[in-house]
Amino acid sequence: MVRCRLRTSSSIGPLRFSEISSNLSTRHALSFLQLPLIIIIFSLIQLLILISYRNLNLFLSLNKPFLFHSFSSFFIASEKLGFRSSPIFFYFSSPIEINGFATMSMSLSDDSSSSYGGEYKNLKQISRERLLHEMLRSAKTGDSKSTWKVLIMDKLTVKIMSHSCKMADITDEGVSLVEDIYKRRQPLPTMDAIYFIQPTRENVIMFLSDMSGRKPLYRKAFVFFSSPIARELVMEIKKDTLVLPRIGALREMNLEYFAIDSQGFITNNERALEELFGDEENNRKAVACLNVMATRIASVFASLREFPFVRFRAARSLDANTMTTFHDLIPTKLAAGVWDCLMKYKKSVPNFPQTETCELLIIDRTIDQIAPVIHEWTYDAMCRDLLNMEGNKYVHEIPGRNGGPPERKEVLLEDHDPIWLELRHAHIADASERLHEKMTNFISKNKAAQIQHGSRGSGEMSTRDLQKMVQALPQYSEQIDKLSLHVEIAGKVNSIIRETGLRELGQLEQDLVFGDAGMKDVIKFLTTKEDTSRENKLRLLMILAAIYPEKFEGEKGLNLMKVAKLTNDDAIAINNLRVLGGEPDAKKTSTSGFGLKFDMHKKKRAVRKNRAEEETWQLSRFYPIIEELIEKVSKNELSKEDYPCLNDPSPSFHGTPYAGSVTQNPPAHSIRSRRTPTWARPRGSDDGYSSDSVLKHSSSDFKKMGQRIFIFIVGGATRSELRICHKLTGKLKREVILGSSSIDDPAQFITKLKMLTTAQELSLDDLQI
């Protein structure tokens, strides 16, 4: 007899651990006759759970009970009756001896993440395989008598895991229960535990508390640290003679980043903008933030087994007599921190490259203040900007059962959705057209859809028609659900664009950036379009302030605020944006953080050059500055004075493809040339469902590419910058990976700007730099 007691969930940051407590009754023993029936029941429950919660991110966000704890107790009982799986033997490579106990820094197979041979794997795939195979699967040792194990994580590592793995992936590796290290846990002395935790003193103390004493919580512990552990903490573990024999593995995984995309990662420094660009007088938090960021960036190269040339934006000083500020040295200091970590990896990590294999460019948010606030017109960016999504989660209503009230359903817009993967970087107008084509093609080619569509006006269906429909129903249901979901989302986005008059505002934003509009056009818009939302007016003035910073000095800035009817908080955001870009010097020809020169006295000032002969879609002209920087890196045209290199590359390095490459880089276009943006070109799909863009890139295409280019932005990246990395990967034939402290939508970036602390409190009455 199995009795289950449900317990309430405990919140951990934006994600949630869920638990269920299950105990076998001591009054009744499991008999062999009961066992087959119980196996069937539990297998069905497990199947239903895996179907319902295929993605760990969705599972944790939905806060549903995790039923696999009951499996733990069940399999403990079954093992006592003699049912065990065959052991998988485990070995350590490059061990470090601690009183006879083998610890390991990290192990990488020769082809698991190599950039030089074998099957190509992107950043997200490598992160997933390391977590599942190198960590979870390695705990299946010959000494492990427990088939099912407990996975224990902290607030950060559960997010690392959820960005790379699905719930089904984890259970396939023998994990029956996911636990929070800081919550009270039920003792499971016959089970092994896998700890994936940060190497902090608090975590080590919790681990030692779990495994010490006469009755530890678990039989054996396999401990994996997300980043290098301090020697004093290792010594603390070593001192506990009771715990030492109970440790099955002690490793540094060197995996402490969130793989948000196949070509993107973040270091989860959400307050980097505030801590690094805030008050100059208190640098303690800033230094700590940079140290954490450097460690996490370096762990990306440890996972990919890449050793980069490290370039960074040099400090910008007006003249030799001007003191360089801490803010101006942020990329320099971060580059030095990353370099120190890489030097340690060269000595300690097995198979880590000893010569440079790729390029890393470190910049900060001052390089482009417009990209975070301008309206980006791709499907992905529009969804996040207009639909108030929580991360990747979209909530919509579906018809209720048996004619009841509508039900709310949560879906994740992620890589597992082929339609989202195909359309996310398409212009919203292009995405809408292609969705309509897909739906039309699907109905014309699917028997069930044709029958259902035709039966609406033709009365009853024949038995044969019904039979055809039933045969096609499972596939039809899944495909029509995906298509209808995206048709609904695109419809909502287009509806909001029409209702808010966003096209006119978007046109003005782009005209300002490209020098086709000026102050008069902005004032005219503000006085004639009074129904424009306060947030959109704020974003318009922030773009204006980035281009014309002198227009916001003193009385002029105050008048603009009054015309737009903005608040003191809005004034602080605009002022902090100007502080972020540095003080303007009206006496000189300015070279802004955008890398484009313009005359400060011109009435209309362009901070972007047109790069396309024609716009395939309206409002698709804008591009982030990193597009120019990445192209210059690829062609070795980046200024060595403005972007020095810590380990200066040899002249033959640039453009050298990976070993085994069969094609050289194609002739690169001039970064000032006019050409049609490939991301906005329509692409056809003949089946109405399958992806015809990203999904058809085979691994062989990437194996032919040149060395990777990494670009890291301190202070937050944008959706448009992530899109550019995907676009340039195809164009330059070099995989471009974007990293940042966070990835921010416009509302998030504005909120962070308002939190920036300055020397004094600002209001509309003293809006001066």
Side-chain angles (χ1 to χ4, degrees), residues 180-198:
D180 175 9
I181 192 170
Y182 287 103
K183 302 298 178 184
R184 186 175 179 180
R185 284 162 277 132
Q186 176 186 354
L188 297 169
T190 60
M191 292 184 69
D192 291 343
I194 300 171
Y195 286 80
F196 180 38
I197 53 178
Q198 291 177 272

Side-chain angles (χ1 to χ4, degrees), residues 17 60 131 159 248 281 342-343 346 384 393 574 605 625 627 662 671 686 759:
F17 282 114
L60 293 170
L131 290 169
K159 296 179 187 177
E281 296 179 3
L342 292 173
M343 290 301 98
K346 283 186 72 175
R384 300 174 192 280
K393 186 168 65 178
I574 293 175
R605 187 181 300 156
I625 282 300
E627 182 168 0
V662 296
I671 63 169
D686 57 1

Side-chain angles (χ1 to χ4, degrees), residues 497-517:
I497 291 172
R498 286 192 301 271
E499 291 169 4
T500 58
L502 203 55
R503 284 194 179 89
E504 189 174 348
L505 174 62
Q507 189 64 59
L508 177 57
E509 289 175 346
Q510 303 224 358
D511 288 345
L512 276 172
V513 171
F514 287 90
D516 299 327

Side-chain angles (χ1 to χ4, degrees), residues 31-32 53 57 85 144 163 189 261 473 528 545 580 595 603 661 667 697 738 746 766:
S31 69
F32 286 100
Y53 307 113
N57 233 337
S85 58
S144 176
H163 275 86
D261 186 87
L473 195 58
T528 58
L580 199 63
K603 291 184 177 179
S661 171
H697 287 306
L738 174 69
D766 57 10

Side-chain angles (χ1 to χ4, degrees), residues 494-751:
N494 285 316
S495 177
I496 294 171
I497 291 172
R498 286 192 301 271
E499 291 169 4
T500 58
L502 203 55
R503 284 194 179 89
E504 189 174 348
L505 174 62
Q507 189 64 59
L508 177 57
E509 289 175 346
Q510 303 224 358
D511 288 345
L512 276 172
V513 171
F514 287 90
D516 299 327
M519 278 291 300
K520 290 183 179 179
D521 302 283
V522 173
I523 293 172
K524 180 181 177 182
F525 180 88
L526 293 174
T527 53
T528 58
K529 302 289 182 181
E530 294 186 359
D531 58 339
T532 303
S533 70
R534 184 170 63 84
E535 182 192 344
N536 282 338
K537 288 189 286 188
L538 172 59
R539 289 166 68 173
L540 179 62
L541 287 191
M542 291 175 81
I543 294 170
L544 191 69
I547 303 170
Y548 302 91
E550 73 283 358
K551 298 292 185 183
F552 286 79
E553 294 176 355
E555 193 71 23
K556 292 182 288 186
L558 178 60
N559 291 335
L560 276 171
M561 293 294 163
K562 288 180 178 178
V563 170
K565 299 178 180 179
L566 298 182
T567 65
N568 281 356
D569 278 350
D570 298 333
I572 291 172
I574 293 175
N575 182 76
N576 285 343
L577 184 77
R578 296 171 65 232
V579 172
L580 199 63
E583 296 183 10
D585 186 355
K587 297 178 181 179
K588 301 181 181 182
T589 298
S590 172
T591 303
S592 75
F594 309 109
L596 296 173
K597 295 182 179 181
F598 50 82
D599 189 344
M600 294 294 288
H601 299 290
K602 278 189 175 182
K603 291 184 177 179
K604 293 182 180 179
R605 187 181 300 156
V607 292
R608 296 290 193 281
K609 300 285 186 180
N610 279 306
R611 294 166 63 84
E613 294 178 4
E614 58 177 317
E615 285 75 47
T616 308
W617 299 99
Q618 189 182 19
L619 307 175
S620 65
R621 281 198 296 170
F622 177 78
Y623 60 92
I625 282 300
I626 69 163
E627 182 168 0
E628 292 188 340
L629 293 177
I630 293 168
E631 287 181 329
K632 285 183 176 181
V633 167
S634 181
K635 296 187 293 184
N636 196 20
E637 293 179 357
L638 205 59
S639 167
K640 292 185 178 180
E641 291 183 2
D642 296 335
Y643 299 93
C645 183
L646 286 178
N647 44 337
D648 199 26
S650 62
S652 61
F653 170 79
H654 288 276
T656 305
Y658 289 138
S661 171
V662 296
T663 59
Q664 298 291 330
N665 289 345
H669 295 281
S670 165
I671 63 169
R672 302 297 183 194
S673 66
R674 298 170 62 84
R675 58 189 182 276
T676 304
T678 55
W679 66 272
R681 291 174 188 160
R683 297 181 294 273
S685 175
D686 57 1
D687 62 2
Y689 179 68
S690 63
S691 170
D692 55 5
S693 56
V694 183
L695 296 183
K696 289 187 179 178
H697 287 306
S698 64
S699 61
S700 60
D701 294 333
F702 284 92
K703 285 166 66 176
K704 298 174 184 177
M705 288 190 176
Q707 286 145 327
R708 287 182 173 114
I709 297 174
F710 295 81
I711 184 162
F712 189 89
I713 305 174
V714 182
T718 69
R719 302 288 164 184
S720 60
E721 287 161 339
L722 186 57
R723 166 179 64 82
I724 285 300
C725 292
H726 282 271
K727 168 190 169 182
L728 291 181
T729 294
K731 176 188 166 187
L732 302 176
K733 302 301 180 187
R734 297 179 67 178
E735 187 183 12
V736 181
I737 296 177
L738 174 69
S740 184
S741 49
S742 60
I743 186 159
D744 299 327
D745 301 324
Q748 294 171 318
F749 179 74
I750 292 170
T751 300

Side-chain angles (χ1 to χ4, degrees), residues 112-249:
S112 64
S113 57
S114 173
S115 299
Y116 296 96
E119 182 185 355
Y120 169 82
K121 296 181 180 69
N122 62 42
L123 173 65
K124 203 162 191 173
Q125 290 170 328
I126 290 171
S127 304
R128 175 183 176 274
E129 290 197 1
R130 290 201 60 218
L131 290 169
L132 295 179
H133 301 163
E134 190 176 327
M135 187 174 75
L136 299 186
R137 188 171 296 177
S138 68
K140 295 180 180 179
T141 72
D143 187 38
S144 176
K145 298 177 181 178
S146 174
T147 304
W148 292 91
K149 293 179 175 60
V150 183
L151 175 60
I152 301 163
M153 297 183 283
D154 58 32
K155 293 180 181 180
L156 180 80
T157 54
V158 71
K159 296 179 187 177
I160 294 171
M161 181 70 77
S162 67
H163 275 86
S164 299
C165 303
K166 298 177 182 178
M167 197 67 244
D169 298 331
I170 296 173
T171 54
D172 284 347
E173 297 301 331
V175 172
S176 61
L177 175 64
V178 178
E179 292 268 29
D180 175 9
I181 192 170
Y182 287 103
K183 302 298 178 184
R184 186 175 179 180
R185 284 162 277 132
Q186 176 186 354
L188 297 169
T190 60
M191 292 184 69
D192 291 343
I194 300 171
Y195 286 80
F196 180 38
I197 53 178
Q198 291 177 272
T200 64
R201 179 169 296 278
E202 294 79 7
N203 283 349
V204 170
I205 290 171
M206 290 298 296
F207 157 67
L208 292 175
S209 174
D210 289 349
M211 299 304 296
S212 61
R214 293 183 177 180
K215 295 182 179 180
L217 290 185
Y218 312 106
R219 193 188 73 87
K220 213 168 190 64
F222 297 82
V223 187
F224 300 87
F225 294 110
S226 57
S227 56
I229 183 172
R231 184 157 187 84
E232 56 266 25
L233 294 180
V234 176
M235 297 303 291
E236 201 164 318
I237 296 172
K238 172 186 171 182
K239 288 177 187 175
D240 198 321
T241 55
L242 284 177
V243 172
L244 212 56
R246 297 166 182 166
I247 299 177

